């Protein structure tokens, strides 16, 4: 299984994502510059965290027009896996691959801590190695992670089981319905504010992010009989 | 040449945490008459045309495509010849 980690000018969690794939799965993973125009050789595409284009104008607004995003859209439409973490999540909402928008944290502070999350949907390609309702500890680090959707869209998300992670206990940013991560209707595009790639070894403070990566691989193997 | 002055604000239904913080500060300074503060963005975009209709269409397109996130923000603009 081949992974691509897209590098935008300003990405700063790209290497973390590469290391997580290497350390947890040992599968091939490449850093791909955002000018790339062919992602057909990759099975899973990671849009990493960071500050693409310095977050000028709005988080993710400019990255959305990077040439590679056309390919990301194609991959998503083909049913290949796309995961956007933090700034990657912001890019996915700006590009319309996921509904909603990320606002400033309601308390206006940048929040950096390990946050407990509930796995609300353990039936996605990204979460099948978790248990439904399991509480996991994953770091967050964001100033604009306050997920917003209007009521109508929220109802759709709830009805389609698209809410994948919710904050458990304290909501660190004021997001609607305590949402920490959602997927698209087909389930192959995931966006989340917390950083699973920073939680893959106990010495990092938590290894609860590993199951996200093992889920992805197991899903791919079953699909491809590998 | 036409100059577009664009105001982008969060939609009324969307909580504006910056605005709320500033409201509280103004209250703390004794400006009790302040009901609400909303903080947005102001952009000046100069376009190389003298045709107002074209400018209006192009600016609207720019707003919808890049300058504004219409999920949470709304915008207004005015055009002046410069």
């Amino acid at each position: 299984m081949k992974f691509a980690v897209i590098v935008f000018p300003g990405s700063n969690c790209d290497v973390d994502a590469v290391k997580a794939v290497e350390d947890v799965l040992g599968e091939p993973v490449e850093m791909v510059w955002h000018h790339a125009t062919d992602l057909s050789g990759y099975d899973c595409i990671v849009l990493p965290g960071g500050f693409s284009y310095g977050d000028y104008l709005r988080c993710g607004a400019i990255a959305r027009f990077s040439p590679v995003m056309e390919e990301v859209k194609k991959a998503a439409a083909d049913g290949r896996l796309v995961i956007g973490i933090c700034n990657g999540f912001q890019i996915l909402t700006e590009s319309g691959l996921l509904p909603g928008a990320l606002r400033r944290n309601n308390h206006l502070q940048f929040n950096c801590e390990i946050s407990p999350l509930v796995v609300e949907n353990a039936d996605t390609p990204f979460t099948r190695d978790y248990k439904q309702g399991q509480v996991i500890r994953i770091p967050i680090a964001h100033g604009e992670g306050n997920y917003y959707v209007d009521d109508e869209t929220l109802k759709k998300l709830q009805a389609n089981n698209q809410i994948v992670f919710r904050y458990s206990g304290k909501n660190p940013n004021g997001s609607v319905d305590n949402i920490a991560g959602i997927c698209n209707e087909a389930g192959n595009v995931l966006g989340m504010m917390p950083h699973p790639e920073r939680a893959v070894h106990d010495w990092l403070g938590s290894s609860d992010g590993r199951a996200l990566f093992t889920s992805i691989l197991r899903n791919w193997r079953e699909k491809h009989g590998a | 040449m036409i100059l577009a002055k664009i105001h982008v604000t969060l939609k009324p239904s969307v909580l504006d945490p910056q605005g709320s913080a500033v409201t509280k500060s103004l209250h703390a300074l004794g400006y009790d008459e302040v009901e609400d503060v909303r903080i947005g963005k102001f952009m000046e975009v100069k376009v190389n045309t003298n045709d107002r209709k074209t400018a209006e269409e192009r600016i609207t397109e720019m707003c919808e495509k890049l300058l504004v996130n219409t999920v949470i923000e709304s915008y207004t603009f005015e055009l002046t010849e410069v």
Side-chain angles (χ1 to χ4, degrees):
Chain A
M1 179 179 192
K2 211 167 166 190
F3 287 77
V5 176
I6 310 298
V7 182
F8 297 93
S11 296
N12 66 9
C13 305
D14 42 359
V15 175
D16 297 24
V18 168
K19 296 269 180 211
V21 173
E22 284 174 348
D23 289 6
V24 179
L25 305 177
E27 294 290 305
V29 51
E30 285 172 11
M31 286 165 88
V32 177
W33 185 234
H34 72 123
H35 282 169
T37 50
D38 182 11
L39 294 179
S40 57
Y42 300 99
D43 306 297
C44 179
I45 295 154
V46 182
L47 305 184
F51 299 86
S52 56
Y53 293 88
D55 276 353
Y56 297 136
L57 187 63
R58 289 185 314 277
C59 306
I62 301 177
R64 172 207 158 175
F65 292 101
S66 281
V68 77
M69 287 310 292
E70 281 309 309
E71 282 295 301
V72 174
K73 282 182 189 164
K74 258 187 232 168
D78 290 350
R80 282 182 283 146
L81 299 185
V82 177
I83 170 167
I85 300 165
C86 204
N87 191 238
F89 185 16
Q90 294 160 342
I91 297 169
L92 288 175
T93 58
E94 283 283 343
S95 63
L97 282 167
L98 290 174
L102 281 310
R103 303 171 292 181
R104 275 280 196 106
N105 292 351
N106 60 349
H107 44 71
L108 296 171
Q109 287 157 23
F110 190 97
N111 233 349
C112 185
E113 61 189 14
I114 289 188
S115 182
L117 307 180
V118 185
V119 180
E120 296 287 355
N121 184 351
D123 191 27
T124 78
F126 308 95
T127 52
R128 42 193 307 182
D129 282 351
Y130 293 110
K131 288 189 187 75
Q132 184 76 24
Q134 187 181 343
V135 176
I136 57 174
R137 293 169 66 251
I138 305 283
I140 55 162
H142 58 248
E144 304 196 24
N146 181 351
Y147 183 73
Y148 172 84
V149 270
D150 59 31
D151 291 343
E152 199 187 325
T153 318
L154 176 63
K155 277 184 196 132
K156 270 190 213 154
L157 291 179
Q158 291 164 339
N160 297 332
N161 267 329
Q162 286 173 254
I163 299 169
V164 181
F165 299 108
R166 276 199 180 94
Y167 299 107
S168 170
K170 191 188 78 171
N171 181 331
N173 50 42
S175 64
V176 162
D177 203 19
N178 297 321
I179 288 173
I182 56 160
C183 64
N184 63 343
E185 247 183 279
N188 65 315
V189 178
L190 173 76
M192 62 191 294
M193 287 314 296
H195 289 266
E197 82 284 12
R198 290 189 190 171
V200 294
H201 296 291
D202 288 333
W203 52 261
L204 284 169
S206 170
S207 57
D208 290 350
R210 294 182 78 93
L212 185 128
F213 294 95
T214 58
S215 298
I216 291 171
L217 182 60
R218 184 152 75 92
N219 185 76
W220 182 84
R221 282 190 171 148
E222 281 174 19
K223 212 170 152 186
H224 292 83
Chain B
M1 200 80 93
I2 287 178
L3 176 70
K5 295 183 174 182
I6 308 170
H7 292 265
V8 182
T9 46
L10 284 167
K11 285 181 180 172
S13 56
V14 178
L15 174 78
D16 176 5
Q18 271 176 293
S20 314
V22 174
T23 306
K24 278 181 205 149
S25 292
L26 287 171
H27 287 166
L29 291 172
Y31 298 105
D32 295 328
E33 69 272 34
V34 173
E35 283 285 323
D36 194 26
V37 178
R38 305 284 289 177
I39 294 181
K41 292 176 203 162
F42 173 64
M43 304 174 198
E44 289 189 338
V45 177
K46 218 183 258 177
V47 285
N48 193 4
T49 175
N50 289 319
D51 181 38
R52 287 185 75 87
K53 196 168 169 283
T54 311
E56 197 177 320
E57 280 169 14
R58 301 286 284 175
I59 293 289
T60 304
E61 207 180 295
M62 290 175 214
C63 285
E64 298 281 331
K65 210 170 182 178
L66 175 68
L67 301 179
V68 181
N69 181 344
T70 53
V71 176
I72 49 173
E73 295 171 331
S74 48
Y75 64 95
T76 56
F77 61 82
E78 62 213 52
L79 305 177
T80 47
E81 267 133 66
V82 287

